[in-house]
Amino acid sequence: VDTIVLDKTGTLTLGNPVVSAVHPSPGVDERSVVEAAAIVERPSEHPLAKAVLQKAAELSLPIVEPERFDSTPGKGVTGLAGGEEIIVGNREFLEGRGFHLNGLAANAGASSQVIVARGGQLLGALQIQDVLRPESVAAVAELRKMGLRTILLTGDAEAIAREVGEQLGMDEVEAGLLPDEKLARINALLKQGKTVAMVGDGVNDAPALAQANVGIAMGSGTDVARESANVVLLGNDLLKLVETLKIARRCKHIIMQNFAGT
């Protein structure tokens, strides 16, 4: 392996994001924004959904099951509740459905931003933040010491990805990627003759995990991520990944020595 590709949410971060701010549209209260988002996010397995549901619990909001649920990986989710369509997703997802955001929470900084609409009305936006795993900086530094090129691929916005990439000292950062675009990036690296290990934890990472020379899933990852990977880390300590790679290199060295000796 000469190239390590890493997902962000749940891999380099703890995967336990929290809602850091709510930005209601004029005439809309905060509870309405959170309630609508929580209804449609309830069936979702995405880490951002957990943050929304946690915020709803903090506000003691009763959350019903949506009558219908559809997910567009890397973009957002839709559902039906009380005969009204609820749409929750990134800016492009809402704009693609005809909503004019008019600068709503346009400067989210290093937060993931989720826009919420219900019954054709734009309710507001949620800012959601995650934190780096405590060992992420040390793990990436060790990977680079081993001569490995480190690449961050994420569906998050450019500002978030760049900040995380700078904190970790990543060699390369690519943001705003859908699952098929992550897969295309892995294929491009393979065509360049790179030997690629992909590390991820989510449904969005499954195609890339399956395509890489070695797919490595976090222990807390989704079922589909673990099933798509060649290796599943026990626990979620990224330093265990470093240790695993070092052991693999040592084993290969011993094997080659044995071949040479015979």
Side-chain angles (χ1 to χ4, degrees):
V1 172
D2 53 42
T3 304
I4 298 286
V5 177
L6 300 110
D7 169 53
K8 184 184 77 69
T9 304
T11 301
L12 292 169
T13 67
L14 291 173
N16 295 315
V18 296
V19 175
S20 58
V22 181
H23 301 282
S25 296
V28 179
D29 62 74
E30 175 181 316
R31 293 173 64 86
S32 296
V33 182
V34 177
E35 180 182 13
I39 289 172
V40 78
E41 292 283 14
R42 186 167 181 174
S44 175
E45 293 185 2
H46 197 280
L48 298 187
K50 297 177 183 177
V52 173
L53 293 172
Q54 180 183 336
K55 183 66 175 179
E58 291 173 3
L59 296 174
S60 301
L61 295 172
I63 304 304
V64 300
E65 288 282 350
E67 298 154 22
R68 189 195 74 232
F69 172 79
D70 294 297
S71 174
T72 302
K75 292 187 177 182
V77 293
T78 62
L80 193 68
E84 294 182 317
E85 185 180 42
I86 301 175
I87 305 172
V88 179
N90 60 26
R91 300 181 70 84
E92 293 75 18
F93 191 55
L94 273 290
E95 288 173 343
R97 290 172 174 264
F99 287 92
H100 300 287
L101 305 186
N102 299 322
L104 176 65
N107 297 315
S111 304
S112 294
Q113 187 182 76
V114 174
I115 312 298
V116 184
R118 181 172 188 170
Q121 178 188 6
L122 187 65
L123 297 184
L126 305 175
Q127 283 182 216
I128 302 178
Q129 288 185 318
D130 201 355
V131 297
L132 288 175
R133 293 186 182 279
E135 77 281 4
S136 288
V137 174
V140 172
E142 284 296 317
L143 292 172
R144 296 187 69 192
K145 283 181 184 177
M146 294 170 65
L148 298 169
R149 181 168 182 78
T150 57
I151 302 175
L152 171 62
L153 301 184
T154 179
D156 272 333
E158 185 79 18
I160 304 169
R162 291 294 169 194
E163 180 170 305
V164 171
E166 288 175 7
Q167 290 175 343
L168 296 175
M170 303 290 291
D171 291 306
E172 188 176 337
V173 175
E174 293 191 37
L177 300 179
L178 298 176
D180 59 333
E181 291 172 326
K182 288 186 177 182
L183 175 60
R185 185 67 181 103
I186 296 296
N187 280 325
L189 290 168
L190 295 175
K191 287 179 180 178
Q192 293 170 18
K194 305 294 184 184
T195 304
V196 182
M198 167 73 190
V199 189
D201 80 309
V203 173
N204 294 351
D205 304 316
L209 287 169
Q211 187 66 18
N213 295 104
V214 183
I216 303 171
M218 303 296 285
S220 63
T222 59
D223 290 342
V224 68
R226 294 198 299 268
E227 290 169 4
S228 301
N230 305 105
V231 178
V232 177
L233 295 178
L234 296 178
N236 301 300
D237 188 343
L238 282 173
L239 288 173
K240 296 295 183 183
L241 168 64
V242 176
E243 184 179 348
T244 300
L245 291 171
K246 288 181 176 179
I247 291 172
R249 282 189 170 185
R250 185 163 181 266
C251 287
K252 181 181 178 181
H253 178 69
I254 292 171
I255 290 170
M256 298 309 293
Q257 273 189 325
N258 288 338
F259 275 128
T262 58

